[in-house]
Amino acid sequence: MVKMAKLALEDGTVLKGEAFGYKTTKLGELIFSTGMGGYTESLTDPSFKGEILMSTYPLEGNHGVSEDWYQSDKIQVEGFVVREVCHEVSNFSSQRTLDDFLKEFKTPGISGVDTRDLTLKIRERGSLKAAITTETISDDELLEMAKSQPSIVDMDLVHKVSTKDIKEFKEDTNKKVALIDCGVKRNIIKSFLERDIGVILFPYNTDYKTILDYSPNGLMITSGPGNPDRVVETIETMKKLSNRLPIFGICMGQQLIAKSFGAKSYKMKFGHRGENQPVKDLNTGKVFITSQNHGFTLDKESLKDTDLVLTQVNLNDGTPEGISHKELPLHCIQYHPEACPGPNDTRDVFDKFSQMMDEY
């Protein structure tokens, strides 16, 4: 028996489709991602907290789910919207189906909707507040839930995904990096460990003295969900550490570091989410293809009043993709060099940061 699901949008749209995953109702901002693979990685990416994820690729679920592909310990999205869900797994390393995966982490899914039309709507209108249900709820009630929820601009999300305790990885190394966890992906930690760099993971609101007590060789602020303006604790910590250590930031990390120097950020119309964003390095002229996932970005003009310089830009819309400090050993990027699946064009940024730590 086919079970019905609904997706309601703040503009009054109500779509009906086939339910999969867990029987529940969730709220979030409806966004789309253009990646052709990696739905497990996306669903478990902490940067998607507060979002209802829609895949533009028309079929999801065919290679199942493996814990080896997780980017955190659970599903982080509020719901999953697909054109078609595959229930027959064809990958030898799969441990469960996509349907079972969503049920395990109490996440609703809807299939059988026109994701191409929804993507066009978001590109025209911008990301929309939405409600997804696999329960029996009236259209009017679901619409009211979608409309009345707070904007993601006004939500505090980082505390929901950040580690609660300080954790150390590979303690027996000569070089170690402090990671302020705003929503770290496992591949970021793995990228350091592969280079024989130990990792100390700190909660997002850790004070600067505690971080220095561990005598790290460098500092990184990780990616994370939501509005960087809301993460005031990390910004304040960054102000105290900006001239004490070599510094690296990815995605939200770039935004928080820039804000600690006085730059501003804003919410994008529909963000960058996918595996094919072109980035140009302004120093070398080289173009990289990158994986990205963010709905906020830096105000390029606001950088002019700081000691930060723009180093890389997005070739689609000109938004900042990289910044450095005029004097300090500080470099940040907006994209995800650790992404998997994803292009490998920028994996060397971890090597460059390692060298920066050696030379400091």
Side-chain angles (χ1 to χ4, degrees), residues 193-225:
L193 300 182
E194 288 174 344
R195 291 162 174 80
D196 203 32
I197 300 173
V199 171
I200 313 162
L201 192 66
F202 293 94
Y204 77 100
N205 56 356
T206 305
D207 67 274
Y208 78 100
K209 291 181 180 179
T210 300
I211 293 174
L212 290 177
D213 285 344
Y214 282 79
S215 302
N217 302 98
L219 171 71
M220 177 187 169
I221 300 182
T222 75
S223 49

Side-chain angles (χ1 to χ4, degrees), residues 17-235:
E18 184 176 340
F20 69 103
Y22 194 72
K23 186 177 181 180
T24 187
T25 300
K26 292 288 187 71
L27 309 178
E29 181 183 59
L30 179 66
I31 51 92
F32 67 86
S33 178
T34 61
M36 295 180 66
Y39 54 80
T40 302
E41 289 83 349
S42 294
L43 292 171
T44 56
D45 182 349
S47 293
F48 278 119
K49 190 66 179 175
E51 312 277 14
I52 296 174
L53 175 63
M54 176 174 64
S55 174
T56 62
Y57 193 71
L59 177 67
E60 299 289 23
N62 57 309
H63 58 260
V65 173
S66 168
E67 291 183 12
D68 292 338
W69 309 330
Y70 287 16
Q71 290 304 302
S72 65
D73 58 2
K74 63 181 180 180
I75 290 178
Q76 301 288 353
V77 304
E78 308 305 322
F80 197 25
V81 181
V82 301
R83 178 68 184 89
E84 181 180 352
V85 60
C86 179
H87 296 279
E88 299 295 328
V89 175
S90 58
N91 188 302
F92 72 94
S93 59
S94 174
Q95 298 167 336
R96 58 183 64 81
T97 67
L98 176 58
D99 183 43
D100 289 336
F101 183 44
L102 265 63
K103 287 176 179 174
E104 178 183 357
F105 293 105
K106 299 182 179 181
T107 306
I110 181 172
S111 66
V113 298
D114 190 341
T115 52
R116 188 195 311 204
D117 183 64
L118 269 181
T119 300
L120 291 173
K121 179 191 289 286
I122 291 173
R123 286 183 62 88
E124 180 179 340
R125 293 283 305 274
S127 300
L128 296 164
K129 293 190 292 184
I132 182 173
T133 186
T134 48
E135 300 176 297
T136 303
I137 295 178
S138 70
D139 291 1
D140 289 342
E141 183 180 356
L142 197 63
L143 275 171
E144 180 56 31
M145 294 171 69
K147 294 175 181 179
S148 61
Q149 67 179 294
S151 166
I152 202 165
V153 174
D154 302 317
M155 297 174 66
D156 295 319
L157 296 170
V158 166
H159 75 94
K160 296 182 178 182
V161 297
S162 177
T163 181
K164 301 299 185 290
D165 305 302
I166 298 173
K167 300 177 182 179
E168 294 192 60
F169 304 82
K170 213 169 189 176
E171 299 177 41
D172 57 346
T173 57
N174 294 324
K175 186 163 51 176
K176 52 188 178 180
V177 60
L179 263 62
I180 297 182
D181 179 17
C182 294
V184 70
K185 293 168 63 179
R186 286 182 178 175
N187 276 354
I188 291 177
I189 296 174
K190 181 180 178 182
S191 295
F192 283 113
L193 300 182
E194 288 174 344
R195 291 162 174 80
D196 203 32
I197 300 173
V199 171
I200 313 162
L201 192 66
F202 293 94
Y204 77 100
N205 56 356
T206 305
D207 67 274
Y208 78 100
K209 291 181 180 179
T210 300
I211 293 174
L212 290 177
D213 285 344
Y214 282 79
S215 302
N217 302 98
L219 171 71
M220 177 187 169
I221 300 182
T222 75
S223 49
N227 184 359
D229 283 341
R230 311 288 298 186
V231 198
V232 293
E233 299 93 339
T234 306
I235 295 172

